[in-house]
Amino acid sequence: LSGTRTYDGTTGVASGILTFSPLVGTETLTLTGTGTVADKHVETGKAITLGTLALGNGTNGGMATNYTLTGGTHTVSITRANLTVSTTDVTKTYDGNATASGTATVISGSLFDTDTISGGTFAFNDKNAAFGTKIVTVSDVTLNDGNSGGNYLVSYASNTTSTINPRH
């Protein structure tokens, strides 16, 4: 058995992502149930514990009783989940610089399980006052996923609706 799935914060491996071979001629079989891997993290060729995975009869003479799942190597590759991070709107009073105090937020994709984001570097694209049209760039957000951020492929999107109020 082998397969590939995207990181989802779980150790479960659903039968629908797995393929098995070799089968005799054009025989096919069905596969049901769920296997597991030792941990949830991204990795290639992770060993699968069979769990409730079971073979069922298929087509072209494929009889489950002619095959077994025991023995051999059963693996799954878990790939990174896509995540786009930005910041909530930032508002400040003109102070002559482009520094910004943002709060990182996920705008596309999902954080799974107990994974979180924190920190980050935020900056206005310029120091001038404007209401609701200022651009704040985002970078260096920390991903707390138990894998040094390795479970996600992170991209950043600028916030385009922030404000620098005129100084009074």
Side-chain angles (χ1 to χ4, degrees), residues 2-116:
S2 64
T4 299
R5 75 164 170 82
T6 302
Y7 173 79
D8 65 4
T10 71
T11 59
V13 180
S15 61
I17 66 148
L18 299 171
T19 58
F20 45 94
S21 63
L23 298 177
V24 174
T26 59
E27 290 182 351
T28 66
L29 294 174
T30 61
L31 183 64
T32 59
T34 303
T36 59
V37 290
D39 64 60
K40 65 181 182 176
H41 302 301
V42 167
E43 186 178 336
T44 301
K46 295 176 80 97
I48 300 172
T49 301
L50 295 179
T52 63
L53 289 171
L55 292 174
N57 292 336
T59 60
N60 298 324
M63 301 275 300
T65 56
N66 292 331
Y67 297 91
T68 180
L69 290 177
T70 59
T73 302
H74 308 296
T75 63
V76 65
S77 294
I78 299 176
T79 60
R80 291 174 156 194
N82 291 321
L83 194 68
T84 304
V85 177
S86 188
T87 182
T88 55
D89 287 349
V90 177
T91 301
K92 76 172 193 172
T93 300
Y94 176 78
D95 62 4
N97 68 58
T99 60
S101 295
T103 301
T105 186
V106 174
I107 63 167
S108 177
S110 295
L111 288 169
F112 296 101
D113 194 29
T114 58
D115 300 343
T116 61

